[in-house]
Amino acid sequence: MYTQKGNSEEIVQARALFAFSSMRARAAEAGYMTEEEIEEEIQAARKAIASQKS
């Protein structure tokens, strides 16, 4: 069973994922960053977040 808060968080996450995917595609198409550079930035951000949680 979902709570209202749980539903809200899922909606926010889904919207953020959609927005991020869209921005990522446009950045790659426009030549701002390659897919590899984008993936490297994502991995670096994930590592930074993980180290803050520890």
Side-chain angles (χ1 to χ4, degrees), residues 16-36:
L17 181 59
F18 178 77
F20 177 76
S21 296
S22 177
M23 289 187 299
R24 180 180 185 167
R26 285 194 308 251
E29 289 171 4
Y32 294 125
M33 297 177 84
T34 66
E35 285 290 324
E36 293 80 18

Side-chain angles (χ1 to χ4, degrees), residues 33-53:
M33 297 177 84
T34 66
E35 285 290 324
E36 293 80 18
E37 290 170 326
I38 293 168
E39 190 60 36
E40 288 172 1
E41 291 292 328
I42 293 168
Q43 293 303 320
R46 287 180 178 157
K47 286 180 183 177
I49 291 169
S51 69
Q52 289 176 355
K53 290 182 179 180

